[in-house]
Each structure stands twice: as C-alpha cells, then as structure tokens.
Amino acid sequence: MNASQTSDVPTLLVKIFGKDRPGITAGLLDTLAAYSVDVVDIEQVVTRGRIVLCVLVTQPAQSLEGSLRATVHNWAESMKMQAEIISGIGDNRPRGLGRSLVTVLGHPLTAGTAAAIAARITKTGANIDRVFRLAKYPVTAVEFAVSGVETEPLRTALVTDASKLGVDVAVVAAGLHRRAQRLVVMDVDSTLIQDEVIELFAAHAGCEDKVAEVTEAAMRGELDFEESLHARVQLLAGLDASVVDKVRSEVRLTPGARTLVRTLKRLGYQVGVVSGGFTQVTDDLKERLALDFAHANTLEIVDGKLTGRVTGEIVDRPGKARLLRRFAAEAGVPLSQTVAIGDGANDLDMLNSAGLGVAFNAKPVVRQAAHTAVNFPFLDTVLYLLGITREEVEAADILDRD
C-alpha cells in the first residue's frame, strides 16, 4: 500500500513508552503482526534510558480492533510499560516545501536558548519536523529538521538571533547532497593551526611585534593583503633557511584539527588548504595530515638565506576563491558541494563562493558575511554542521584502533 492509498484509510497510532530494554520494538511489532495490519510509519526515540516508540498501522477488521487494543495494552503491561492507541485517518500530513536542517551549537545549550531558537523557527512560518542530538561534547549540538520555509530566509532569521543568544546556528538545505562526496577547503593560519606562520618566522628575526601589527590590520580588512604581505616578508630578509625547520616544529594544530581531517577522509571527502602563508609550512602539513590539496605563497631562498621576497602567484583574497574553484574542478565536486572554513577578511571570497562558508573564531566582519560561524575553539565541531555525530566519529576511531 503506497502513500496515496493510505491517504483516506483508517489508521491506528500505537504509542509505547517506558524504560528501554532489548526486544521492545520486536515485541510490539510481533504483537501487531497477529492482526495482519500494515506498517505505515514508525519512529523511535530513546533518551536517558526511556523509550518512546510510535507505530502507525492500518486499522484491522472492525471485529478485531477491540482485541488488538486489549492485546497491546496487556503486552505493554507485561513489559512494565504504558501504551496509548489513537484512531485516525491516513498517514502523517505531508511536510511543507522548503526543507532545511538547522544545527545549533551551544556550550552549554540552555533550555531558554533552545526555546528561543524553536520560537524563531515557528515565527518564520516553518514547522519543526524532527529534533536530533548530534553531540554532547565538546559542545552540545542539536539538529532541527524544518519544513515550510525556504533555506535562505530561514537562515537570515536565525543567524541574527543566534549571535544575541550566544550560540552558533547553521542552516543548510536538506536533501541527498548532505551525505554526498564533498570537498572541504580550509585557511591555515588561525584556522587549521593556532599560529600565524609569518609571526613565527618574525620571532626568529626579532621583528615579531611589527609583523603582528600589520597582520592584524590585514585580517581586519584595513590593509590590502598583497601589499601587507610584501611589507612583512621584507622584514625577514637575511634569515638563515634553517629557520624553516624550526618554524615547522613550532606550528600548533588547532584542537580538533586531526579529528576533523581524519573523519572527513574516512567518509571519502577530499580536504585541502589554501594559505596566505608559505609553502614551506603548508607542504609539511599536507604530508602530515594526508591532505589532498595545498597551495600557498613561497618564500624565496637564495644561497641558504631568505631574500625578503615571495615567488610565484600571490595567494590573496580573490586567489583563495580561485583555488577553491580549481580544487573543486580537480576533485570532480560541484562548487555547491564545497565547504570553506576561514577566519580572516582575506577568506571572505572563498567563504562566499563555497556551498557552505564557515567563519571559524573569526573577526566580526567575517562572521557577519559568512553563511555560518563557529565560535568554539574546536575545529572538529564543523563536523556537526555536516550532520556527522560525535558517536560516529568515536566509533570510527575504535574500529581503526582494532
């Protein structure tokens, strides 16, 4: 019996709730099977050891309905559970057009905040069809399946409220593409790693403060990136090339970076980095993390010394967007299936070109312009925006160890 055939057929909603234990789902379905009913819909939720199991079935012959009700109640009682049976017509009402997934990240996620997000969704005219927890640490991540409003206006409505409530909210269109092969491209400095690479070089040249000042101005969008890059690199002239190995050893990955990359690779995603920093570091990161793509500026070295110049095409704000498109073409992934992650103003073109642009602990101008923002210091929280649960990550880790 298909959906159209059940639209006006009498049905029964059988609801069981109580303490969870093995065999409940099988036991209820076996009890219903004796009455030759068809299963129209089924859903089960377990929270802190308590189960709610709902089965929507076709109504049995009128002479058997009383017996079915009595038998289900008796079975539930034998399992020390409660049962409720509600008569009705047909299946669940169709979900509205415009389907989205709203991911909320909080640390903590308070009841008041969750209520405010739910109320805002409702105010847009959308309906919450399902709620599912993706993770309980290092942040609480909850996903709302929403229908009835198109994704863009829903995103606009929620993102403003999210910043006021102190949580991060991502809104993406629902559909098969959520689990499709994708490409994730990240900025490096202050995103994949905790450091600004040029500042690590500058510390060895004794000009760290001067370089940091120019870097901050560039990331805020107050200076032209290419101009600021040349100005900072000039301060490194004369450094011995052996400093490259020292800087590589000083680079600190952002918490969760290894988990993010490892999990994405297990799922068949391709992962790359683009950086306004230097290939002397990004090439090493590519090898260490088994990245698929990496592109950055290159410090010129002559006779074992840094010359204070860079060689090749400059990786600047528009350059990062071009590289995202190039990586997507090489990976055979549509641009709509790409995810870009960055923190600075020079990442904005890349973030806006991607299917999903994530501002990671970003400057205000970047948070306001990106599709969504993550303001927690754990890079692997981005996984939750892709619908990947903490349990799935941990299970994969266990399998690898075994």
Side-chain angles (χ1 to χ4, degrees):
M1 187 177 293
N2 60 38
S4 62
Q5 292 174 315
T6 60
S7 61
D8 57 358
V9 171
T11 52
L12 297 177
L13 175 61
V14 181
K15 178 181 177 183
I16 302 295
F17 47 99
K19 185 177 180 181
D20 188 30
R21 68 191 70 120
I24 290 174
T25 306
L28 175 60
L29 292 173
D30 188 53
T31 300
L32 295 171
Y35 295 88
S36 300
V37 295
D38 296 333
V39 174
V40 178
D41 196 4
I42 184 169
E43 189 159 343
Q44 176 178 305
V45 176
V46 178
T47 304
R48 210 178 68 177
R50 309 292 290 184
I51 185 174
V52 178
L53 171 60
C54 295
V55 183
L56 186 65
V57 297
T58 53
Q59 190 180 60
Q62 191 170 4
S63 61
L64 296 177
E65 184 178 338
S67 174
L68 181 150
R69 288 174 176 268
T71 301
V72 169
H73 281 285
N74 288 337
W75 172 83
E77 186 176 345
S78 73
M79 300 294 288
K80 298 182 179 179
M81 305 187 75
Q82 293 178 277
E84 183 180 5
I85 303 175
I86 303 171
S87 299
I89 299 294
D91 197 352
N92 303 307
R93 65 179 179 80
R95 293 178 61 189
L97 297 177
R99 299 180 183 181
S100 303
L101 296 169
V102 177
T103 306
V104 181
L105 307 180
H107 185 63
L109 178 61
T110 67
T113 298
I117 293 293
R120 194 70 182 91
I121 292 172
T122 302
K123 190 175 180 180
T124 67
N127 185 69
I128 298 172
D129 300 313
R130 185 170 292 125
V131 184
F132 178 72
R133 187 183 73 183
L134 295 168
K136 59 183 178 181
Y137 70 91
V139 299
T140 300
V142 177
E143 181 178 273
F144 295 80
V146 175
S147 62
V149 172
E150 294 299 327
T151 299
E152 284 304 321
L154 183 62
R155 177 186 290 144
T156 300
L158 290 175
V159 168
T160 301
D161 281 8
S163 60
K164 297 176 183 176
L165 293 167
V167 295
D168 294 331
V169 174
V171 183
V172 298
L176 292 176
H177 67 275
R178 188 79 183 283
R179 290 288 187 174
Q181 184 187 40
R182 302 173 85 171
L183 168 68
V184 177
V185 176
M186 291 175 276
D187 173 45
V188 175
D189 293 10
S190 299
T191 301
L192 180 64
I193 67 174
Q194 300 177 59
D195 312 283
E196 291 288 334
V197 168
I198 197 165
E199 293 178 13
L200 296 179
F201 277 101
H204 292 280
C207 57
E208 186 175 11
D209 290 344
K210 290 182 180 179
V211 166
E213 185 178 334
V214 178
T215 299
E216 276 299 308
M219 291 302 100
R220 291 191 301 266
E222 298 170 3
L223 292 176
D224 172 79
F225 178 80
E226 183 173 350
E227 184 180 16
S228 70
L229 174 67
H230 288 305
R232 288 174 290 173
V233 171
Q234 284 175 4
L235 297 171
L236 307 181
L239 269 180
D240 193 90
S242 63
V243 78
V244 170
D245 289 333
K246 294 177 183 178
V247 168
R248 285 176 174 174
S249 68
E250 293 166 352
V251 166
R252 300 166 300 162
L253 291 173
T254 298
R258 286 188 183 277
T259 301
L260 172 69
V261 175
R262 182 173 65 242
T263 303
L264 292 173
K265 297 289 289 181
R266 284 171 176 159
L267 291 170
Y269 287 43
Q270 297 189 61
V271 184
V273 293
V274 291
S275 176
F278 311 111
T279 57
Q280 282 84 355
V281 171
T282 57
D283 287 350
D284 182 60
L285 289 170
K286 181 181 181 183
E287 183 177 350
R288 285 166 57 190
L289 298 175
L291 302 174
D292 300 284
F293 304 99
H295 201 93
N297 300 303
T298 299
L299 290 169
E300 184 181 62
I301 298 175
V302 176
D303 297 329
K305 302 285 184 181
L306 274 65
T307 66
R309 296 187 294 271
V310 292
T311 62
E313 181 184 2
I314 297 298
V315 179
D316 55 6
R317 176 170 167 168
K320 287 189 173 185
R322 286 196 300 271
L323 287 164
L324 171 69
R325 291 190 287 269
R326 183 193 305 174
F327 292 169
E330 292 177 13
V333 175
L335 202 58
S336 61
Q337 291 298 104
T338 62
V339 179
I341 310 169
D343 75 300
N346 66 326
D347 297 314
L348 275 174
D349 289 5
M350 176 177 73
L351 297 181
N352 290 326
S353 297
L356 176 64
V358 181
F360 180 73
N361 292 312
K363 312 299 182 292
V365 65
V366 183
R367 290 200 303 269
Q368 293 167 9
H371 298 135
T372 189
V374 170
N375 294 302
F376 301 102
F378 309 104
L379 194 56
D380 53 339
T381 55
V382 174
L383 293 170
Y384 310 141
L385 306 183
L386 306 179
I388 301 164
T389 69
R390 171 58 62 177
E391 287 79 5
E392 289 173 316
V393 174
E394 292 176 347
D397 284 339
I398 292 170
L399 288 173
D400 270 7
R401 288 198 296 269
D402 292 345

